[in-house]
Amino acid sequence: MRDFAWGIAATGGIARTVGAAIVAEPGMRVAAVGSRDLGRAQELAATLGAESAYGSYEQLCADPAVDAVYVATPHAQHLQVAEAAIAAGKAVLCEKPLAATVDDAEKMVRLAREAGVFLMEAMWMRFNPLIQKIAADERFGDIRSVHATFGFAKPYNPEHRLWAPELGGGALLDLGIYPFGLAQLLLGMPSDLRITGSLAPNGVDAEAAGVLLYPDGRRALVETSLLGNYPNQASVVGTRMRADIQAPFWAPQRILLSGPAMEPEEHVLDPADNGYAGELREVRAATAEGRTESSVMPLDESLAMMGLLAAARRQLA
């Protein structure tokens, strides 16, 4: 059986990281790299051992050797690349957030469903074995609280993708999706939210913090910021057990489970297994099985998250 062949759209840091994960995964290879800068595409293709490099995303998506396209562009370009890949019948793994706006995300999902093509948001946190262990462990009882922070100080530069509104900049889409996403995974969608924070001079969200409210008093406390360095840890508290998730909580290598009726348990990640490997395997398995969506990261949950982040952003206006 031939290796599962990937096309990588873009050449930035995350494209290189995931590209290396593809190369390291048995039975997978990078067949092509695409970029608006052909020279950068050629350089990354050579690094990853890909036979083809293209100066446009459309050419990448049209390559018959490519089974799936990994979209690693800035958020605002996700729809453009995904649309080309879906039209070409390629499975799509799209970096988080699924798109820069709710409208773009809804269009991507509609196009994929109409075409019967696999589409998944690359939320690698959901594929981390330690996060999956927490989500599946019934010893927590009733989970009452999730607390998570993700923030670092990034000097204001309106031309940088994290600050540029035309590139989908802001703390919520890039960083906040992880603490909000952990709450979504463990508690579902909130019935209400109360968010405070501040905006940058150009109007993008610089920081946001608040509480997601659930029935019966359950809650998630979330913080995200481009203005300060946060612990980037998380805790999950249930009626019978709690979990302390070491930084970075969205890609933990260690968690500690504890409770009044148990000896503390430390669980450590196998270095050979991480969220990147898991999401890559999910795309390959879904393609082989003819599935068009993932049960680990369902499209409806990606759309719900886009709506939740948009609602949080509106409270900062």
Side-chain angles (χ1 to χ4, degrees), residues 74-75 96-97 150-176 178 200 202-207 224-227:
H75 316 328
K96 59 83 197 162
F150 186 5
F152 55 77
K154 183 69 177 179
Y156 176 66
N157 175 2
E159 296 182 0
H160 190 280
R161 70 169 188 87
L162 286 174
W163 292 108
E166 68 276 10
L167 297 178
L172 280 165
L173 283 179
D174 231 281
L175 313 183
Y178 287 114
N202 64 355
V204 304
D205 46 286
E207 58 184 348
T224 186
S225 177
L226 292 170
L227 302 180

Side-chain angles (χ1 to χ4, degrees), residues 9-10 34-36 55-62 73-74 77 80-81 84:
S35 170
R36 292 179 297 182
S56 79
Y57 300 129
E58 290 74 17
Q59 288 177 304
L60 170 73
C61 295
T73 62
Q77 297 166 13
Q80 171 199 347
V81 183

Side-chain angles (χ1 to χ4, degrees), residues 230-310:
Y230 281 70
N232 299 337
Q233 299 171 346
S235 63
V236 179
V237 179
T239 52
R240 297 199 300 268
M241 187 172 74
R242 68 172 283 147
D244 293 290
I245 310 175
Q246 186 183 67
F249 79 83
W250 56 93
Q253 296 186 6
R254 175 184 174 274
I255 61 172
L256 181 67
L257 304 180
S258 60
M262 60 181 289
E263 290 293 323
E265 296 177 7
E266 182 180 57
H267 297 268
V268 179
L269 184 72
D270 182 341
D273 197 7
N274 56 49
Y276 294 130
E279 62 188 14
L280 296 171
R281 294 168 192 159
E282 174 73 351
V283 177
R284 178 175 59 187
T287 302
E289 296 163 11
R291 291 186 283 120
T292 58
E293 297 192 27
S294 169
S295 61
V296 180
M297 186 68 255
L299 290 176
D300 284 345
E301 294 193 21
S302 293
L303 290 177
M305 177 54 60
M306 290 298 303
L308 184 63
L309 294 174

Side-chain angles (χ1 to χ4, degrees), residues 126-198:
R126 288 208 178 199
F127 292 88
N128 181 286
L130 297 182
I131 295 294
Q132 291 181 333
K133 179 174 182 57
I134 291 172
D137 199 324
E138 296 181 352
R139 292 179 297 168
F140 281 97
D142 180 24
I143 294 179
R144 305 301 303 170
S145 172
V146 174
H147 184 195
T149 70
F150 186 5
F152 55 77
K154 183 69 177 179
Y156 176 66
N157 175 2
E159 296 182 0
H160 190 280
R161 70 169 188 87
L162 286 174
W163 292 108
E166 68 276 10
L167 297 178
L172 280 165
L173 283 179
D174 231 281
L175 313 183
I177 193 170
Y178 287 114
F180 279 76
L182 185 66
Q184 180 192 37
L185 175 63
L186 299 176
L187 294 174
M189 289 297 292
S191 55
D192 196 9
L193 70 162
R194 298 171 188 171
I195 304 295
T196 187
S198 66

Side-chain angles (χ1 to χ4, degrees), residues 6-8 10-11 14-24 28-33 41-51:
W6 288 87
I8 297 180
T11 58
I14 190 62
R16 294 170 183 272
T17 298
V18 174
I22 292 170
V23 171
M28 293 191 189
R29 66 186 179 94
V30 177
V33 177
Q42 290 171 331
E43 184 273 328
L44 183 56
T47 299
L48 299 175
E51 57 264 35

